[in-house]
Amino acid sequence: MKSTEQPRFTISPFLVFVFIQAMQFGSEYLSMSTKPIQWAGQDTWISVLLCGGCFHIAIWMIYRILNHNGMDLPGIHHQFFGRWAGGVLNFIFIVYFLLIASYELRFFIEIIQVWLFPELTTWPLALVMLLLVYYIVAGGFRVIVGICLFSLIRYITIFALLFPAVFFHYGNLSPVFDHSLNVLVQAGKSLTFPFGGVEALFFCYTFIEAPQKSEKWAYWANALTTVSYLLIILFTLLLFKPEQLPKEIWPQLTKYKFIQFPFIERFEYIGAASQILWVIPILCFCLWAPSRICKLMFGMKQLTALPFLFVLIFTAVCLIPGHESIEAVQKMLSEIGFYLIFAYLPFLFIVSVIRMKVRRVA
Amino acid sequence: MNGVINLGNEWLNVQSVPQLWKELSESADFVCYEHLKNTGSVYIGYFKSLTEPEVLQRHILGCLSSHPDISLEDLYVLIPIAEKELATKWDDIQNKLYRGFVAIQYSGQSHPCMLVNAAASKGRSVTMPEIEFTVEGPKEAFVESLDVNLNLIRKRVPHSDLRIKELTVGSISKSRVAVVYIHGITNEQYLNTCIQRIEGVQFDQITDSTLLQQMIEDDSNSIFPQTIGTERPDYVAWAVSSGQICVLKDGSPTAVFAPVNLWLFFITYEDYYLPWIIASMLRLIRMFSVLFSVYASPLYVAVMTYHGQGISNVFLPTIISSRINVPFPPVVEVLIMELVIELLREAGARLPSKIGQTIGIVGGIVLGTAAVEAALTSNFLLIIVALSALASFTTPIFRMSATIRMLRFPFIFAAQIWGLLGIFICTFALVAHLLRLTSLGMPYLVPFYPFRVSDLYDTVIRPPYSKFHHRFSFFRSSKPIRFDKNNANQKKDIDE
Amino acid sequence: MKRLLFLLLGICMLLTGCVKQQILDKITLSFVCAFDEAPEDQIEFTIATPKFSAGKSRTVTNILQSKIGHTSRNITELMSLQLNRPIKPGKLSVILFGKELAEKGLADDLDVILRDPLTSRRMYLAVVDGKAKEILKANFSSNEEKGMFLYNLIDTNVRNGIVPRQVLHDFEYAYVGKGRDPFLPILSLQNNQIMISGLALFKDDKYVRSLDVKQMQVMKLLQGNSKFGTLEAKQDNGTYMAVKNDESKVNYQLGNDVSSPKVTINLNLNAEIIDAKGTQLTIEEQRRIKDRFEQDLTTTGKELFQSCKEEGIDPLGLGDFVRSKTRNWNEEEWKQGYSTMNIALNVNVNLTEMGIRK
């Protein structure tokens, strides 16, 4: 089946791999290892695999829903639930994406404020980032995926993990399976927020050239994210004792303190500034998707909706003051994301399956 | 002498011919005279500055004097010049006169005018290329005459499908523009876009094909060129057989071709004459030097202003002690040095060659050493700025090296405002701009974005010719296969 | 066109987004700092700052700042009242602690360093026999900057010598983590020369005991695989012989009995004889030398274990090792059983080479 957009604006199925892993692997990975390791200690890697498996299933469900109906989520809402209820659900998604964008941006600005420039106020950086994102989004979906491809450069920082190798204590990984399944599931639950991002598939489905073919690439993207998170958790376990972690806010940035090249020592500058590679793709998509929903729901042009969303995100970012509020926002988003993937998605799937059966019978 | 003359697409009123010549005689170089014959007079008109006197005297006047009573039609057959015609429309006659034709008009007869080509070809002869000089390979370069250029191209592509479409552009310059392509290999859509854009140009004076280049570009606000100009006919032959379209203009030694992507700007044609490993290494050096040229000064500003504590202990004393007496902050230091280098470059470009050498010595050695001793700058920075200036000239295409020189200034400002973060943001803005750029509709960053694995082979490294079995798919040609790859080398066992 | 306006607007606003510059030659850097005990529960904080001169890349420290206060950051502020350039702590590579302060506990002072985003976790810490400020005052390096000298001193001995590694990260790891206790090298000043005179063992974060050089060497051998070090032992006939450690491997084994835990440490050393004092090295003789060395190492090791058990400290990390091998490990139980625990040491010395003479 072909996509419903003009071929000039579509992306090839392989780029879905790049896109989905850019959406999933956001900058929340910096602080993701503290809570699961509190719960599950040295068996956290099992929770990571568990979570990755759940998201595999989630992607499967998403593709079944999308393939059966051949359109993206706003259209599905419209069809399934009628105009008003569908509109409300679409609006919830708009708010959700705007919240994620504000959170990611504020998180990034906080990192810059703590690690690089303590005297930097929030709003100039937010303004510049949003202008940059506006320029990218105004170029269309293809440009956004191009930026995701460019941000793959961030995997070079994996080499940074080699430097603390002399400090690894392999004994931290054993004994294996020392924790109960309950605890592992708890740890897995706190990992759902970093894994989230697959709901982006709902909105870009019509922009893929041959949507059915892109399914396997989405699985590969999830696998890559799982492997990356596994590596991160592994190295955190090897490097830190579980008791050290509650005191570290961003353990992954701390690992940059170990790097010593012959000519560069304080690698944290580069590490903290390079977080922009994690943040920009998500910001771009989270600004593009609501404008697209607005276009489909209200019929306005995306370019006119963008400035409004821009202002909304800017005010939201400036209103979040300090570290505690950011953590509160993260908790809230984590809950919303969890229910989105594990409650709303199966519900949608069941409704879709019932409609298919009803249509076949009728 | 009588009758109203309607100029334009009208039949000539033969009694009014001298009147017409009078119009043109306003210019001092238009010659017209009567050649008296028994049956009447023959009016001959031509532009002295455009015609070859030899042709006029020997062939035309010779024929006329040896056959005094010949009629126009017989004269037409007799004159031993290949390009001649009989014209009736005034526009045609005028155009041809401006191209160096001689007009012969019999008075007293209602006959059309005969036009004979006597154009003088004055211009350079084919010499070595000056900008794109290669050590190996042919050393012919384009000249200003369109016909000579087309000759050079046709020699290299003696294929029946090589088509040349001629257009006239410019209301005052009325230049002949030739679009060269191979029918069947070039994509029709790109070709039509190109021709439409050339036809749509509304300018009056087009002096060079580079003006055309800027007028048919996709995005004229971008500092990145979206077409490549070259003076080598072998490069044009290669481009045309890859599926690109080439545009030549009469009076310009530069051939412009499109569509192009970013990676083609780092390829010299010499790469194809060298063995593939060496050529690939040279390409990698070029790309690295471009990155260095753009990022070296901004990184210096960022590190010295904000991230100085990131420098390792071994280097710290050297760097600090080199800067200790400099009163300016690093950004001012860098800007001063960059401006000095730009000054040197601009001055060197305008000076006659004898003085140019002296200025080079004065600028390079004296200014540099004196600046360090006067503590206007540090010697560490001097090395960086000089190296990055040199590195910006490694791109073979001249327009791109200008772009790269200009590109580092926004980065320097961004580094001054927010250090390394500013450089990252600026990089993203640059990448976003490149992603949005297209050349005749083809994305600028292909084959890296949209990602096509099969086309990666000739971008960063140049593989051996046995791997060149298909053309780039982003040129979308109708015949993508160059040769059948199954005929390539067979694998053999040892001593077999 | 609209986009251009936006960008211009953004650029104008950027003028208000300026951040503080830290131009390298306009700040004061310091590579080493020292903490000392001061009366009324205060600390004395000393830093040594290098002075750079134009054209010469060698720098000599000749400025010492010292103040007393409650928190080191406040002290730094007070110090900057005396300096013409602001102090930035980003290049700190070595931190020295006075002995009395170490006995009181280091965790509080380390908090400020661990919290700062710009400090490296690879910086070396050291305990000074006496007052740390005195070491910084002394002129022990004539043409090299003091902080760099100290850093290189400790670094060389850790990488290529007999001092076990304990950087800031290791210290925090051992201090916070269960089943391990930290240690730090001891620096002492003799005749205007600095030397590493031993190892300081800590219980939690308080300094309790010190090891001399020989015990420190054995501890490094027992801590992990190492390729450096020279051992000497007294032979039967009274002479001392020296061997060089080519490669040593150590592994720990846990005894099977859960009720009475036993840890066996197996040390395997490939040694090269470098000083035989002229003795003829027959097979018999080599076996005797091997026995002597093994005995020597075992004795020193057992002394080490004994003193650790007496103090109740665990610098080798045996608790951590046991934790990784048993399920449901409990730190309290371990600590109680530690003093009576059986630690066996098996040393095996292989004399593989003997230089270029027999």
Side-chain angles (χ1 to χ4, degrees):
Chain A
M1 182 204 292
K2 305 203 78 166
S3 73
T4 56
E5 300 288 334
Q6 274 193 340
R8 276 198 301 144
F9 303 118
T10 56
I11 56 173
S12 73
F14 165 71
L15 287 173
V16 170
F17 167 74
V18 169
F19 177 65
I20 294 295
Q21 74 85 31
M23 287 298 124
Q24 278 193 306
F25 202 165
S27 52
E28 54 268 4
Y29 82 98
L30 291 173
S31 50
M32 106 176 143
S33 36
T34 36
K35 291 201 194 62
I37 296 187
Q38 298 307 103
W39 287 106
Q42 64 267 30
D43 296 323
T44 315
W45 58 275
I46 305 176
S47 307
V48 172
L49 289 174
L50 209 68
C51 212
C54 290
F55 272 83
H56 207 86
I57 301 175
I59 295 181
W60 180 83
M61 277 198 276
I62 293 180
Y63 265 97
R64 292 286 86 66
I65 300 174
L66 288 172
N67 286 347
H68 288 166
N69 295 291
M71 61 178 90
D72 53 4
L73 193 63
I76 290 180
H77 279 161
H78 216 132
Q79 254 195 7
F80 284 17
F81 305 119
R83 214 169 140 218
W84 292 109
V88 167
L89 283 170
N90 284 340
F91 188 73
I92 292 179
F93 267 97
I94 293 182
V95 173
Y96 174 65
F97 281 122
L98 289 178
L99 271 177
I100 289 193
S102 325
Y103 167 71
E104 289 279 339
L105 188 55
R106 188 66 184 92
F107 189 79
F108 171 70
I109 294 179
E110 195 206 359
I111 293 177
I112 300 288
Q113 283 173 328
V114 170
W115 288 78
L116 279 182
F117 303 122
E119 54 278 331
L120 182 68
T121 43
T122 313
W123 65 269
L125 185 55
L127 186 66
V128 172
M129 295 283 286
L130 284 173
L131 280 175
L132 177 65
V133 168
Y134 182 86
Y135 184 59
I136 297 175
V137 172
F141 186 66
R142 270 193 139 178
V143 176
I144 296 179
V145 179
I147 291 281
C148 293
L149 185 66
F150 176 68
S151 72
L152 278 184
I153 289 184
R154 60 195 179 191
Y155 282 102
I156 293 182
T157 53
I158 299 272
F159 290 118
L161 291 173
L162 293 176
F163 275 88
V166 288
F167 292 95
F168 284 165
H169 296 266
Y170 295 100
N172 282 349
L173 287 177
S174 58
V176 205
F177 291 116
D178 201 21
H179 294 84
S180 65
L181 197 62
N182 198 9
V183 162
L184 290 178
V185 168
Q186 282 276 24
K189 181 164 184 239
S190 60
L191 281 170
T192 45
F193 184 56
F195 267 98
V198 288
E199 58 266 15
L201 266 174
F202 273 132
F203 296 93
C204 69
Y205 185 72
T206 49
F207 281 91
I208 311 175
E209 254 170 25
Q212 268 89 344
K213 282 199 202 149
S214 63
E215 188 170 347
K216 72 169 191 255
W217 291 113
Y219 291 137
W220 278 111
N222 193 35
L224 179 65
T225 316
T226 312
V227 166
S228 316
Y229 286 166
L230 204 62
L231 274 178
I232 289 175
I233 296 279
L234 216 62
F235 285 125
T236 314
L237 281 173
L238 286 173
L239 203 55
F240 292 105
K241 276 258 177 207
E243 297 85 17
Q244 272 179 304
L245 283 176
K247 303 212 171 158
E248 299 277 342
I249 309 179
W250 300 283
Q252 300 314 313
L253 279 181
T254 315
K255 80 174 184 252
Y256 285 118
K257 284 181 183 268
F258 288 92
I259 300 182
Q260 248 179 358
F261 282 116
F263 43 89
I264 303 178
E265 267 188 0
R266 295 287 172 274
F267 214 72
E268 304 93 68
Y269 295 118
I270 305 182
S274 66
Q275 292 311 309
I276 197 178
L277 289 166
W278 272 265
V279 162
I280 290 262
I282 300 190
L283 272 183
C284 293
F285 181 75
C286 291
L287 202 58
W288 177 83
S291 66
R292 182 149 176 86
I293 301 179
C294 286
K295 175 176 176 169
L296 293 173
M297 270 196 351
F298 305 126
M300 62 163 79
K301 285 192 141 189
Q302 272 186 277
L303 274 178
T304 37
L306 273 182
F308 291 118
L309 300 169
F310 178 110
V311 169
L312 278 174
I313 297 183
F314 182 67
T315 32
V317 166
C318 294
L319 286 177
I320 308 179
H323 184 73
E324 299 302 327
S325 347
I326 298 176
E327 289 213 338
V329 173
Q330 185 190 13
K331 274 205 187 66
M332 177 173 70
L333 276 175
S334 185
E335 291 291 325
I336 299 179
F338 181 75
Y339 288 117
L340 194 75
I341 297 289
F342 291 110
Y344 175 71
L345 183 61
F347 166 67
L348 207 60
F349 177 67
I350 294 172
V351 169
S352 168
V353 165
I354 294 177
R355 279 177 69 100
M356 282 282 300
K357 291 235 160 62
V358 163
R359 222 183 298 157
R360 214 175 289 165
V361 164
Chain B
M1 305 294 187
N2 49 4
V4 176
I5 307 163
N6 269 334
L7 296 180
N9 297 342
E10 291 270 324
W11 287 82
L12 283 176
N13 192 338
V14 292
Q15 278 99 5
S16 59
V17 162
Q19 192 90 8
L20 292 166
W21 294 149
K22 228 207 229 168
E23 290 277 329
L24 294 171
S25 311
E26 296 296 318
S27 300
D29 58 340
F30 183 74
V31 176
C32 108
Y33 62 83
E34 264 180 84
H35 180 95
L36 288 168
K37 289 193 324 171
N38 306 336
T39 47
S41 37
V42 180
Y43 292 99
I44 303 180
Y46 61 95
F47 276 99
K48 193 167 57 168
S49 50
L50 290 172
T51 51
E52 185 80 54
E54 176 94 7
V55 171
L56 180 67
Q57 288 159 9
R58 204 191 302 165
H59 300 297
I60 302 176
L61 293 180
C63 283
L64 273 178
S65 23
S66 48
H67 306 273
D69 287 320
I70 197 166
S71 71
L72 191 68
E73 289 78 9
D74 293 333
L75 188 63
Y76 183 75
V77 173
L78 199 60
I79 289 191
I81 294 181
E83 205 174 335
K84 55 194 174 192
E85 64 179 73
L86 295 167
T88 47
K89 300 211 174 106
W90 180 236
D91 271 349
D92 288 342
I93 299 178
Q94 217 180 15
N95 281 341
K96 286 292 188 319
L97 277 174
Y98 288 130
R99 299 240 186 265
F101 280 56
V102 175
I104 304 174
Q105 176 69 45
Y106 277 43
S107 77
Q109 293 176 24
S110 56
H111 277 293
C113 198
M114 183 164 78
L115 294 161
V116 180
N117 187 4
S121 55
K122 290 189 171 65
R124 287 188 300 146
S125 52
V126 175
T127 49
M128 288 207 304
E130 284 167 21
I131 308 172
E132 294 166 55
F133 180 77
T134 59
V135 178
E136 295 195 354
K139 295 178 190 31
E140 283 182 330
F142 285 134
V143 291
E144 279 77 10
S145 157
L146 183 62
D147 298 310
V148 175
N149 294 345
L150 288 176
N151 165 288
L152 290 171
I153 297 178
R154 275 254 183 230
K155 261 197 318 198
R156 290 173 166 84
V157 191
H159 197 262
S160 58
D161 283 334
L162 180 74
R163 306 276 167 88
I164 298 181
K165 193 169 157 69
E166 247 190 60
L167 308 158
T168 314
V169 179
S171 51
I172 292 185
S173 59
K174 291 206 204 310
S175 333
R176 287 167 61 203
V177 171
V179 177
V180 182
Y181 62 98
I182 296 188
H183 178 76
I185 293 185
T186 312
N187 180 276
E188 293 293 326
Q189 213 178 357
Y190 291 146
L191 184 65
N192 291 338
T193 318
C194 190
I195 292 180
Q196 265 170 19
R197 288 202 187 151
I198 297 179
E199 282 174 346
V201 170
Q202 300 277 4
F203 211 63
D204 52 354
Q205 172 72 317
I206 314 264
T207 40
D208 191 44
S209 58
T210 46
L211 272 88
L212 261 184
Q213 206 176 4
Q214 292 165 50
M215 290 171 192
I216 63 172
E217 273 186 341
D218 282 38
D219 183 5
S220 45
N221 289 331
S222 165
I223 53 173
F224 286 92
Q226 290 130 49
T227 51
I228 290 184
T230 177
E231 55 173 12
R232 298 185 61 99
D234 45 350
Y235 199 4
V236 169
W238 174 264
V240 151
S241 55
S242 298
Q244 288 169 298
I245 302 157
C246 191
V247 174
L248 288 133
K249 188 187 106 63
D250 192 23
S252 167
T254 312
V256 171
F257 59 87
V260 295
N261 61 18
L262 183 64
W263 321 105
L264 285 175
F265 286 95
F266 301 110
I267 296 179
T268 32
Y269 202 59
E270 194 170 9
D271 285 347
Y272 293 101
Y273 296 135
L274 292 170
W276 68 276
I277 301 183
I278 299 180
S280 309
M281 283 192 56
L282 288 175
R283 270 193 207 180
L284 287 173
I285 291 179
R286 253 176 251 140
M287 291 193 187
F288 170 73
S289 66
V290 164
L291 277 178
F292 177 80
S293 165
V294 172
Y295 281 105
S297 308
L299 274 177
Y300 177 85
V301 172
V303 168
M304 294 301 280
T305 315
Y306 296 108
H307 309 308
Q309 295 169 65
I311 305 178
S312 141
N313 291 341
V314 183
F315 282 106
L316 211 53
T318 324
I319 293 183
I320 296 186
S321 55
S322 73
R323 246 197 72 87
I324 201 124
N325 284 333
V326 178
F328 308 118
V331 69
V332 176
E333 208 188 333
V334 167
L335 282 177
I336 291 180
M337 286 314 298
E338 292 282 349
L339 283 174
V340 164
I341 297 242
E342 292 296 318
L343 264 176
L344 276 172
R345 206 208 54 82
E346 282 292 319
R350 316 252 171 269
L351 290 170
S353 49
K354 295 214 177 90
I355 313 184
Q357 290 218 357
T358 324
I359 294 289
I361 298 177
V362 169
I365 302 177
V366 175
L367 268 180
T369 323
V372 170
E373 302 223 322
L376 278 176
T377 176
S378 61
N379 41 15
F380 188 61
L381 177 65
L382 203 57
I383 299 174
I384 290 183
V385 169
L387 274 180
S388 56
L390 271 180
S392 74
F393 288 116
T394 54
T395 48
I397 311 291
F398 180 69
R399 286 191 66 189
M400 197 55 157
S401 71
T403 305
I404 293 178
R405 272 197 354 255
M406 291 303 128
L407 203 54
R408 70 174 85 110
F409 287 100
F411 278 90
I412 293 179
F413 287 120
Q416 168 59 13
I417 296 176
W418 276 335
L420 204 57
L421 181 66
I423 295 182
F424 270 109
I425 293 182
C426 218
T427 309
F428 261 101
L430 180 68
V431 169
H433 178 75
L434 285 175
L435 282 169
R436 294 175 65 155
L437 213 52
T438 55
S439 166
L440 278 194
M442 184 182 83
Y444 205 62
L445 284 184
V446 79
F448 282 103
Y449 183 74
F451 194 67
R452 292 186 217 284
V453 186
S454 54
D455 288 329
L456 285 176
Y457 65 87
D458 196 16
T459 41
V460 179
I461 58 170
R462 204 215 89 202
Y465 283 107
S466 55
K467 302 273 194 301
F468 265 72
H469 39 74
H470 62 269
R471 303 187 167 91
F472 285 132
S473 70
F474 43 82
F475 291 137
R476 296 192 188 283
S477 69
S478 344
K479 289 196 199 129
I481 311 288
R482 284 186 201 258
F483 60 85
D484 187 6
K485 65 179 174 198
N486 294 326
N487 292 336
N489 307 325
Q490 292 174 328
K491 292 224 186 295
K492 296 202 196 99
D493 200 5
I494 312 176
D495 290 339
E496 199 170 88
Chain C
M1 198 54 217
K2 259 196 216 163
R3 278 181 238 135
L4 210 64
L5 278 173
F6 266 121
L7 283 168
L8 281 174
L9 202 68
I11 292 175
C12 293
M13 297 231 181
L14 282 178
L15 295 172
T16 55
C18 280
V19 288
K20 259 195 272 186
Q21 300 182 348
Q22 297 179 10
I23 304 182
L24 259 190
D25 50 322
K26 309 261 188 297
I27 55 176
T28 312
L29 297 171
S30 74
F31 294 97
V32 62
C33 69
F35 287 87
D36 271 317
E37 179 80 10
E40 289 166 37
D41 211 17
Q42 290 184 333
I43 49 172
E44 187 173 5
F45 182 62
T46 317
I47 60 170
T49 59
K51 187 167 167 61
F52 296 101
S53 44
K56 286 188 242 163
S57 44
R58 280 260 160 226
T59 68
V60 185
T61 317
N62 54 9
I63 310 177
L64 211 65
Q65 308 281 341
S66 184
K67 282 234 178 312
I68 297 182
H70 289 283
T71 59
S72 53
R73 278 297 142 90
N74 198 25
I75 299 175
T76 320
E77 282 251 317
L78 292 174
M79 276 185 199
S80 58
L81 291 170
Q82 270 185 298
L83 294 166
N84 61 345
R85 289 167 178 177
I87 303 180
K88 297 286 174 205
K91 293 297 296 174
L92 273 180
S93 321
V94 181
I95 303 186
L96 301 173
F97 294 100
K99 198 158 93 160
E100 288 134 13
L101 189 62
E103 280 167 4
K104 271 203 173 169
L106 292 181
D108 302 334
D109 301 304
L110 286 178
D111 184 80
V112 66
I113 296 163
L114 290 168
R115 206 172 278 274
D116 191 347
L118 290 183
T119 51
S120 161
R121 282 181 86 100
R122 275 179 117 145
M123 66 168 79
Y124 285 108
L125 309 173
V127 174
V128 169
D129 198 10
K131 274 216 151 215
K133 188 173 158 187
E134 301 303 317
I135 284 208
L136 284 184
K137 268 202 202 159
N139 192 13
F140 47 83
S141 70
S142 52
N143 61 347
E144 201 176 341
E145 204 271 324
K146 281 186 190 153
M148 286 302 299
F149 180 87
L150 283 172
Y151 180 81
N152 287 332
L153 171 74
I154 306 180
D155 195 43
T156 316
N157 283 300
V158 164
R159 278 179 208 267
N160 305 329
I162 54 175
V163 179
R165 186 196 71 213
Q166 192 79 319
V167 295
L168 177 63
H169 173 78
D170 294 321
F171 191 88
E172 202 214 357
Y173 185 86
Y175 162 59
V176 175
K178 298 184 194 154
R180 199 184 274 263
D181 284 310
F183 53 85
L184 286 179
I186 303 182
L187 298 176
S188 54
L189 190 65
Q190 283 175 9
N191 303 336
N192 246 9
Q193 289 230 339
I194 291 207
M195 49 181 282
I196 302 179
S197 55
L199 209 63
L201 299 178
F202 284 73
K203 184 173 179 141
D204 284 336
D205 64 329
K206 299 189 185 21
Y207 165 45
V208 289
R209 185 179 276 259
S210 65
L211 300 177
D212 63 11
V213 176
K214 171 116 188 197
Q215 288 170 329
M216 175 169 74
Q217 189 177 21
V218 170
M219 187 159 141
K220 179 156 187 184
L221 288 175
L222 293 177
Q223 217 196 4
N225 305 341
S226 123
K227 285 192 184 174
F228 308 103
T230 313
L231 305 165
E232 70 175 17
K234 190 170 176 178
Q235 301 302 311
D236 292 329
N237 50 4
T239 57
Y240 280 82
M241 281 205 197
V243 300
K244 187 169 81 151
N245 171 20
D246 278 340
E247 191 177 356
S248 83
K249 284 199 170 67
V250 63
N251 74 345
Y252 292 38
Q253 274 172 352
L254 188 60
N256 288 330
D257 199 356
V258 185
S259 54
S260 67
K262 171 178 164 181
V263 177
T264 314
I265 305 180
N266 299 323
L267 177 63
N268 218 342
L269 209 113
N270 288 343
E272 179 183 339
I273 301 183
I274 49 178
D275 187 4
K277 296 271 189 276
T279 321
Q280 191 73 350
L281 295 171
T282 58
I283 303 285
E284 275 295 312
E285 187 63 33
Q286 283 181 33
R287 211 178 302 139
R288 268 203 292 271
I289 297 173
K290 175 177 139 92
D291 286 338
R292 278 279 151 264
F293 273 103
E294 281 175 8
Q295 243 178 20
D296 192 53
L297 283 173
T298 317
T299 324
T300 321
K302 283 208 189 308
E303 278 170 19
L304 187 66
F305 296 147
Q306 196 55 33
S307 51
C308 287
K309 277 198 244 177
E310 273 169 28
E311 295 282 350
I313 54 180
D314 186 9
L316 286 172
L318 294 169
D320 197 25
F321 168 72
V322 172
R323 177 204 60 78
S324 70
K325 296 273 184 238
T326 50
R327 296 188 182 281
N328 304 322
W329 181 81
N330 190 322
E331 192 184 12
E332 294 309 315
E333 281 174 18
W334 166 261
K335 281 205 177 137
Q336 278 165 8
Y338 183 62
S339 47
T340 52
M341 199 181 79
N342 186 2
I343 309 177
L345 177 63
N346 297 334
V347 182
N348 184 16
V349 176
N350 300 328
L351 296 172
T352 46
E353 299 286 341
M354 52 187 89
I356 55 176
R357 292 179 70 134
K358 262 225 159 139

